Amino acid sequence: MELIKEIETSRNSSVLLKAIFEGDDAPTLLVKKQSQITEYLKENVAYVYLGKKSEFGYKDAYEFARDLAENCARSYQLDLTTFVTEKLCIKGVVDAFTKGINFSAFQYYNLKTFTKRVNENSLSFYLENISQDVLNVFKKALILVDAQNFARNLGVTPPNELNSEQLAEIIRKDFKKYHNLKVKVLERKQIELLGMDLLLSVNKGSVYEPRVVIIEYKGNPSSQEKTVLVGKGITFDSGGYSLKPPKFMLGMKYDMSGSAIVAAVMKAIAQLKPNKNVSAIMCITDNRINGDASLPDSVYTSMSGKTVEVNNTDAEGRLVLADGLYYGATKLHATRLIDIATLTGAILRTLGDTYTGIWATSEKAWEDIKKAADIQEELIWRMPFDKEYEAFMKGSVVADLKNTDYTGNAGSCSAAMFLREFTNNVEYIHCDIAGTNDIDEKPMFAMVKTLIEMSL
Ligand code: BES
Ligand code: MG
Ligand code: ZN
């Protein structure tokens, strides 16, 4: 299926798909089953039954659009105004349908040679009168879902085709087209000079070089305010010497998703041009084993000067992010730091694959991200920072911190406390997407849209 690129103001030859609700004057033989489509091909029209009109809202429209793009058995032109309800204005319909269809219709990486299941039908929009408002909503939705798809494609790409050097190179090349972004790729030598030894420790087991990609956007040069996004970019997480069991290693190609997300956010920012200052840092390496890979019990000095005893090489995300956060705070002069990471299996136990876990050091920071998430209809839940959660990690005999809390409790919260140590007291938001990023092997990429919204 082709992606939606425009709203048509006249009818095309496809069957016109209209919404019909409970109590509407229904044509004869209409099947009144939720989301069921009844076709009247002589009239070149079809109706989808959507139940109670007063209950049909944004989420329903989005889910319907996603399902239609995946499963429709025929090409349709969607009669957009018929989907408007008390809970959903025409802008909501356009936004939900654009994002839903383009999410599902997007063809991400695959090397399938004979089982390819693609929907060859097409979906198009019909809306006779398009106001400037509606057009703006449409254009913004296209940019957001496009950014999300960019990140989804990187996430789903297998690790043998996307190592640290390749990921950095893809970003450097692709971002050349955005003249309002400044992109810098730090290589091993520069990373060493900066003293990012926590990141380097994770990279020790790799045959590929580490990379730190910095993307900067200055939409308000006269302001000191600057948000810096930091993304976890582990192109594969084997666990290192604290090796993951086979089943738990599967899907660890997605462990670079945080870094793909911060890049995707910058992509959207380059096009939406907000008058704010936003930068992104991608902390990229893989986590694997070779003869000189980092050993548990090792001690390293972070860029911040704080020392860390690595009591578990599988808690590598917090190591690379620690140096990334400190770089953002001190070299980029962030006034707000936001990291995003597939950080802990524990968050999946806590919130399932439904809510993204969020930690915020201030009420204002929480309110800002909650507001953005509400606008973008993404689910987030606030989690606590508390000194209690760092007690174990502060008990190292040989360093300032251990990287892992072995109490077995609240592993996502101790991870958040570890990261906060490296923020240099800058206002800070931490997003743990380990539960919501990929579901049943598929790239969902929650939080791309919320983080873009926050930057506007
Ligand atoms: N990348 C994983 C977290 C993860 C787990 C993401 C499952 C997605 C699905 C992370 O690096 C990790 O290994 N975390 C450990 C932390 C532990 C060693 C404290 C975990 O969650 O088991
Ligand atoms: Mg790990
Ligand atoms: Zn990891």
Side-chain angles (χ1 to χ4, degrees):
M1 178 173 292
E2 298 279 314
L3 298 182
I4 297 272
K5 291 198 184 73
E6 58 174 336
I7 303 177
E8 292 166 51
T9 52
S10 53
R11 283 280 291 123
N12 60 34
S13 57
S14 298
V15 175
L16 186 67
L17 183 64
K18 294 165 169 282
I20 192 154
F21 297 96
E22 187 186 279
D24 287 354
D25 281 339
T28 49
L29 301 175
L30 183 93
V31 183
K32 292 189 177 171
K33 230 179 90 192
Q34 193 64 30
S35 299
Q36 182 79 46
I37 295 175
T38 313
E39 300 185 323
Y40 300 86
L41 295 183
K42 254 199 235 143
E43 285 91 55
N44 208 31
V45 64
Y47 293 88
V48 55
Y49 183 77
L50 294 171
K52 281 198 169 54
K53 189 167 188 174
S54 59
E55 283 171 17
F56 187 78
Y58 185 94
K59 272 256 138 67
D60 308 292
Y62 181 75
E63 297 300 333
F64 168 70
R66 276 193 42 195
D67 182 55
L68 196 67
E70 255 162 56
N71 302 313
C72 65
R74 181 188 304 287
S75 294
Y76 295 112
Q77 191 178 22
L78 302 172
D79 190 351
L80 297 183
T81 52
T82 65
F83 291 86
V84 173
T85 68
E86 296 91 310
K87 278 168 81 178
L88 191 64
C89 64
I90 187 66
K91 287 194 264 181
V93 173
V94 168
D95 189 67
F97 281 9
T98 305
K99 288 174 181 163
I101 291 171
N102 282 7
F103 182 95
S104 288
F106 177 68
Q107 284 286 309
Y108 51 68
Y109 173 99
N110 77 75
L111 283 188
K112 286 169 177 280
T113 61
F114 61 91
T115 52
K116 208 167 257 184
R117 198 185 138 267
V118 284
N119 192 336
E120 301 288 356
N121 298 306
S122 74
L123 293 173
S124 52
F125 287 166
Y126 172 56
L127 182 63
E128 216 174 75
N129 300 303
I130 311 175
S131 66
Q132 192 57 46
D133 260 12
V134 168
L135 194 62
N136 290 343
V137 166
F138 178 61
K139 284 185 183 157
K140 180 178 166 189
L142 283 179
I143 291 171
L144 267 69
V145 67
D146 193 48
Q148 192 182 18
N149 283 338
F150 173 79
R152 291 173 73 213
N153 189 52
L154 290 173
V156 80
T157 303
N160 57 317
E161 292 197 29
L162 194 73
N163 61 46
S164 50
E165 296 165 19
Q166 289 168 320
L167 176 54
E169 188 58 13
I170 287 171
I171 300 299
R172 194 185 62 76
K173 275 207 185 118
D174 184 81
F175 278 54
K176 276 187 181 158
K177 59 177 176 274
Y178 303 117
H179 300 292
N180 54 358
L181 298 182
K182 202 173 92 198
V183 178
K184 203 157 68 180
V185 179
L186 305 185
E187 304 194 345
R188 181 195 298 285
K189 194 87 230 127
Q190 294 150 291
I191 296 169
E192 282 172 359
L193 287 171
L194 284 161
M196 301 175 106
D197 282 11
L198 296 187
L199 168 60
L200 288 165
S201 81
V202 179
N203 182 251
K204 270 168 65 99
S206 181
V207 293
Y208 305 107
E209 284 201 8
R211 292 284 186 261
V212 175
V213 180
I214 297 146
I215 309 166
E216 295 189 82
Y217 171 80
K218 242 183 160 44
N220 189 357
S222 61
S223 167
Q224 293 299 308
E225 275 184 36
K226 185 199 270 188
T227 297
V228 176
L229 307 163
V230 185
K232 172 176 175 180
I234 302 296
T235 57
F236 190 79
D237 181 12
S238 73
Y241 271 105
S242 310
L243 194 63
K244 288 183 184 295
K247 270 192 178 172
F248 291 91
M249 209 184 285
L250 292 174
M252 285 302 140
K253 63 177 180 180
Y254 278 115
D255 217 22
M256 37 54 72
S257 299
S259 74
I261 288 172
V262 299
V265 171
M266 297 310 291
K267 221 175 169 38
I269 287 175
Q271 297 164 77
L272 295 166
K273 306 181 180 70
N275 52 356
K276 285 202 180 151
N277 305 319
V278 188
S279 298
I281 304 173
M282 306 166 72
C283 306
I284 313 173
T285 174
D286 52 17
N287 183 27
R288 63 165 97 191
I289 300 174
N290 68 16
D292 195 34
S294 182
L295 295 171
D297 283 351
S298 298
V299 176
Y300 302 98
T301 303
S302 67
M303 182 182 174
S304 77
K306 289 184 183 174
T307 54
V308 178
E309 177 184 0
V310 175
N311 59 345
N312 191 324
T313 61
D314 197 13
E316 85 297 338
R318 63 194 76 178
L319 297 177
V320 305
L321 290 170
D323 282 338
L325 287 166
Y326 194 75
Y327 184 99
T330 57
K331 298 284 176 188
L332 298 184
H333 309 290
T335 54
R336 177 181 277 177
L337 285 166
I338 304 178
D339 81 60
I340 178 149
T342 46
L343 200 66
T344 64
I347 198 68
L348 186 63
R349 300 280 152 261
T350 312
L351 299 175
D353 57 23
T354 310
Y355 281 76
T356 296
I358 306 289
W359 287 253
T361 56
S362 74
E363 293 307 309
K364 176 75 167 63
W366 165 250
E367 281 162 19
D368 285 356
I369 194 164
K370 178 68 177 124
K371 200 172 139 209
D374 285 348
I375 293 172
Q376 290 301 327
E377 302 271 347
E378 295 195 297
L379 298 174
I380 64 174
W381 197 261
R382 189 170 184 183
M383 302 283 294
F385 280 121
D386 195 297
K387 290 267 175 214
E388 295 286 331
Y389 296 126
E390 69 184 16
F392 184 97
M393 295 182 301
K394 292 232 163 142
S396 170
V397 174
V398 289
D400 299 324
L401 290 159
K402 293 185 179 189
N403 74 331
T404 302
D405 179 330
Y406 272 109
T407 65
N409 297 327
S412 308
C413 295
S414 50
M417 290 305 290
F418 180 91
L419 291 172
R420 200 177 71 165
E421 289 289 315
F422 300 89
T423 56
N424 214 21
N425 291 319
V426 172
E427 185 183 52
Y428 172 49
I429 299 173
H430 162 56
C431 311
D432 193 338
I433 51 169
T436 51
N437 183 66
D438 47 283
I439 303 177
D440 295 335
E441 301 177 34
K442 296 195 190 87
M444 305 312 290
F445 283 67
M447 298 308 286
V448 176
K449 293 178 287 183
T450 295
L451 292 182
I452 296 169
E453 186 66 44
M454 249 187 120
S455 312
L456 304 179

